[in-house]
Amino acid sequence: MSTMDAQVREVCEELRGALQADGGDLAVVAVEGSQVMVRLQGACGCCPHAQITLKNGVERILREKVDESIEVVRVD
């Protein structure tokens, strides 16, 4: 596991608490280069605001804490 992969997974683990509080969850499927593939679960899976949460929440925080080139991609 690369350093970036480990950092991404650590930050996402921290973010899961907020999502779980709203009945959802987040799973990191893979980290390939600067792309982070995630699966939204629970209430997040069908939420109309999910894409906003990914881009303005998860992606923004990962860019701040890990690497500014990160792009979060939702997978099913």
Side-chain angles (χ1 to χ4, degrees):
M1 183 180 304
S2 72
T3 302
M4 182 189 278
D5 189 310
Q7 290 175 322
V8 163
R9 290 177 188 277
E10 183 179 323
V11 171
C12 284
E13 192 62 33
E14 294 170 7
L15 297 175
R16 288 180 65 215
L19 296 173
Q20 290 169 343
D22 283 337
D25 206 349
L26 170 83
V28 176
V29 175
V31 178
E32 296 176 4
S34 61
Q35 279 198 331
V36 178
M37 275 67 80
V38 299
R39 179 175 294 118
L40 294 174
Q41 301 167 324
C44 290
C46 59
C47 176
H49 305 292
Q51 191 61 28
I52 294 168
T53 298
L54 283 181
K55 292 297 179 181
N56 295 345
V58 177
E59 185 176 272
R60 179 183 58 79
I61 292 168
L62 286 171
R63 285 181 171 183
E64 288 173 5
K65 292 188 172 194
V66 181
D67 189 293
E68 63 186 27
S69 67
I70 286 177
E71 176 189 10
V72 174
V73 179
R74 182 178 179 179
V75 297
D76 292 323

